[in-house]
Amino acid sequence: AKVTSASRSMPVDTRNLVLYLGARLAGTVGIQVQSVAIAWEVYARTGEPLDLAWVGLAQFLPLALLSLWAGNLADRLDRRLILTVCRVTYALGSLALAWFALHPEHGLWPIFSVLVLLGATRAFAAPAGWALLPWLVGQDRLPRAIAMSSTTFQLATIGGPMLGGLLVAAGGPAVAYGTAAGLEAIAALLVVLLRFTAPERKAPEEKGLALLFSGVRYVWRAKILLGAISLDLFAVLLGGAVALMPIYARDILEVGATGFGWLRAAPAAGAIAVALVLAYRPIGRHAGRWMFAGVAVFGLSTILFGLSESFPLSLVALALLGAADMVSVVIRQSLVQIWTPDEMRGRVGSVSMIFIGASNELGEFE
């Protein structure tokens, strides 16, 4: 691996992992701030729950249409370059949202247009970022690096919604969007600073449509991957409550934009507690039982949140939800990363993103 003079005091894989986690932290906080501002602004403008459904659908459709193409690119091109371009696009999208927030006379259609662009960007960013991590650390360090990456993600999803809620309450959505743009620019810079030598990848034997759907075929044949990926789809598609939180914050719990930020952060607070434990004490036995137990607790916690009319009880329910989800997330991500050869990681990652997008964004629409 290439080592610059400024980083000779630090092992290159450690340096790259720090940069990768920093980019993941900044980029995810930016997306979370942006997401909170979008949901709050759309519902504040119209008061129509169905408009929140369109927010999810506008992001899911381009993700579903482009993910397989994006996965093929991640297996053929420089994953670092793809991720950098995507982070810059996220930043530009946030700046566009800030401008439209300052000019509400244009209505909601420009916001949904930007959401389509961001959904398309996510289709390319997710498999590239997911497949990049194994290049930065050795195979023996990969499970722990995945746990650290998940912990970083959950830190961002704690701080991001809280920061987004505070920014919306203090300065309005435009301030939140501007902050998100700055964070995405920082993430792009950190990705550019990564230094490594990419391993040689086998040229795919398939061509045309056969190559496009090769990731789907691989997941279908590897039943352990199919089970791990599809489990999240059915759990979150029917149980995701994130899209309803502006309604709960304003109309049921009556806690305002700041309380909305706390509600969005609560699942991540529970998740990070579990992720920290798993980073130092990974699950070594009975992983399947732990995974199914996590999904069951996720469902029960969602029911508790749905029945609650108390803000503290709602926070507890969401924290339990996040903690349970993290158990299955770490197990599923570790299975998928370890079970997939490097030359297939982008394509398998794109299939995984379709399932995740279906469960999250399509679940929000549902």
Side-chain angles (χ1 to χ4, degrees), residues 20-346:
Y20 177 87
L21 295 178
R24 186 163 172 77
L25 178 65
T28 306
V29 169
I31 290 174
Q32 292 294 322
V33 168
Q34 180 192 89
S35 177
V36 166
I38 289 170
W40 187 261
E41 181 182 10
V42 168
Y43 191 63
R45 283 201 197 182
T46 69
E48 293 291 337
L50 188 59
D51 288 328
L52 295 174
W54 301 128
V55 170
L57 191 64
Q59 296 176 83
F60 170 71
L61 289 179
L63 178 70
L65 292 173
L66 296 174
S67 281
L68 295 181
W69 299 95
N72 276 282
L73 284 179
D75 284 335
R76 296 167 60 188
L77 303 180
D78 185 342
R79 294 166 182 171
R80 177 180 52 186
L81 175 62
I82 295 173
L83 194 56
T84 302
V85 171
C86 289
R87 289 300 178 192
V88 171
T89 305
Y90 276 133
L92 294 175
S94 292
L95 291 176
L97 288 171
W99 193 88
F100 290 126
L102 295 173
H103 297 83
E105 65 273 12
H106 295 293
L108 290 180
W109 73 264
I111 294 178
F112 289 116
S113 299
V114 175
L115 288 177
V116 171
L117 171 65
L118 295 178
T121 303
R122 185 182 173 202
F124 289 89
W130 184 81
L132 181 61
L133 181 58
W135 285 3
L136 308 179
V137 298
Q139 189 73 11
D140 57 332
R141 297 182 62 190
L142 184 56
R144 184 157 293 181
I146 291 172
M148 293 174 68
S149 179
S150 297
T151 302
T152 302
F153 177 81
Q154 296 303 332
L155 275 171
T157 50
I158 291 175
M162 292 171 59
L163 178 60
L166 291 172
L167 290 170
V168 170
V175 173
Y177 295 137
T179 303
L183 289 167
E184 294 299 333
I186 292 172
L189 176 62
L190 293 176
V191 173
V192 169
L193 293 176
L194 291 172
R195 294 291 181 268
F196 58 90
T197 300
E200 292 186 7
R201 289 175 281 182
K202 297 179 182 178
E205 298 177 359
E206 303 94 338
K207 301 293 182 183
L209 288 178
L211 177 60
L212 182 64
F213 287 96
S214 57
V216 177
R217 289 198 307 275
Y218 185 85
V219 170
W220 179 257
R221 292 168 182 166
K223 298 304 182 185
I224 192 170
L225 296 184
L226 179 63
I229 292 173
S230 61
L231 179 63
D232 180 70
L233 168 64
F234 293 104
V236 182
L237 175 63
L238 300 177
V242 173
L244 301 174
M245 286 188 188
I247 304 170
Y248 272 81
R250 287 192 58 179
D251 302 335
I252 298 174
L253 302 174
E254 298 180 347
V255 292
T258 302
F260 173 48
W262 281 99
L263 288 172
R264 285 292 302 268
I272 193 172
V274 172
L276 288 171
V277 173
L278 295 180
Y280 293 98
R281 294 181 64 87
I283 294 172
R285 300 179 62 189
H286 308 303
R289 297 178 189 176
W290 281 102
M291 182 169 63
F292 284 118
V295 172
V297 174
F298 175 89
L300 293 172
S301 301
T302 301
I303 293 171
L304 178 61
F305 172 74
L307 295 175
S308 172
E309 295 182 3
S310 162
F311 183 54
L313 180 59
S314 296
L315 291 176
V316 170
L318 291 171
L320 288 174
L321 179 152
D325 188 47
M326 177 51 58
V327 173
S328 65
V329 164
V330 169
I331 294 172
R332 285 185 282 109
Q333 287 187 354
S334 298
L335 280 173
V336 174
Q337 285 278 24
I338 293 171
W339 207 266
T340 307
D342 184 71
E343 64 272 12
M344 288 292 300
R345 280 199 170 103

